[in-house]
Amino acid sequence: LFTTTVRFATTNEVATYSNGSIAPMRIINANRSPKAIIHILMKFWLETPFQRIKVFRTALENFVNARPREWVALVGFRATRVEADFGYVEYRIICQHREAWQNIGPILQSKADLSSFSLEVSKKLDLRYVSPPMPVKLTAPGFNHSGLISNYSSENETKEPRSAENTLTADDLQDVAALFVIRE
């Protein structure tokens, strides 16, 4: 046996490779990789009260648990990166799907639904991170190259900090959950 035949899952194309060319590569049989693990990254505003983060997590757990034919469980929800200089905390949402990686279509659809749901809940809870404006460096012949001109406006300085008074619970987010129909 000197060759290996492979099939590209999305287009069903067939190709043959020599074993020597694929020997140093990582080879995966998607059918033998049961229950795909999905990762979604979210950035939240640094000053977000932890209570809102807990409500967000509860809403995610409810979303996943309401779809037992799609999801096994919410495997993890953790802060993976804190960028105090940029004003955000990055969270990783990790869920386990019922399908094997070989059945990529339903997995990608479920991931899209979970991502959309996460975005809508983050908007509702006012968790979304909005990046600060980036400086613009303009140079022209005859000018020195050390000057930065920023597009940072004074309206950003007078902006009120986000309020932590609007306390929502996971039950208050049912209207967002209703947007995402459970598939039979």
Side-chain angles (χ1 to χ4, degrees):
L1 184 67
F2 298 102
T3 62
T4 299
T5 303
V6 296
R7 182 177 304 271
F8 188 53
T10 54
T11 62
N12 223 14
E13 294 174 272
V14 177
T16 304
Y17 295 103
S18 69
N19 287 344
S21 67
I22 63 172
M25 296 181 184
R26 181 177 173 192
I27 300 169
I28 298 173
N29 183 345
N31 191 36
R32 292 188 181 172
S33 300
K35 298 189 168 94
I37 302 290
I38 303 298
H39 295 259
I40 298 171
L41 295 176
M42 298 286 295
K43 290 181 182 176
F44 296 143
W45 182 54
L46 186 65
E47 299 298 324
T48 301
F50 188 66
Q51 184 61 33
R52 285 193 194 173
I53 301 293
K54 289 183 355 185
V55 169
F56 180 82
R57 181 190 172 123
T58 303
L60 281 178
E61 287 172 344
N62 292 343
F63 182 83
V64 169
N65 292 337
R67 290 157 178 76
R69 291 186 177 157
E70 284 182 69
W71 300 105
V72 174
L74 177 68
V75 177
F77 178 78
R78 60 184 66 98
T80 56
R81 192 167 144 198
V82 177
E83 290 289 345
D85 293 339
F86 295 112
Y88 72 85
V89 178
E90 185 179 80
Y91 280 84
R92 184 175 296 264
I93 301 165
I94 307 167
C95 290
Q96 188 172 22
H97 201 275
R98 292 256 179 232
E99 298 288 336
W101 275 112
Q102 187 173 18
N103 197 2
I104 193 75
I107 293 171
L108 292 178
Q109 184 59 51
S110 295
K111 181 178 181 179
D113 291 345
L114 183 61
S115 297
S116 298
F117 177 77
S118 299
L119 175 65
E120 292 303 318
V121 171
S122 70
K123 285 183 199 176
K124 186 93 169 178
L125 292 172
D126 194 27
L127 299 174
R128 289 181 340 119
Y129 166 70
V130 179
S131 63
M134 297 297 292
V136 177
K137 183 175 183 178
L138 300 175
T139 59
F143 289 97
N144 74 16
H145 296 286
S146 63
L148 286 179
I149 298 175
S150 175
N151 62 359
Y152 185 78
S153 67
S154 61
E155 88 179 37
N156 291 335
E157 294 174 11
T158 61
K159 194 174 182 182
E160 292 294 320
R162 296 182 190 186
S163 171
E165 294 175 16
N166 295 342
T167 307
L168 294 173
T169 65
D171 294 332
D172 296 331
L173 301 171
Q174 290 303 318
D175 57 333
V176 175
L179 295 173
F180 298 88
V181 180
I182 300 172
R183 286 190 277 305
E184 296 295 324

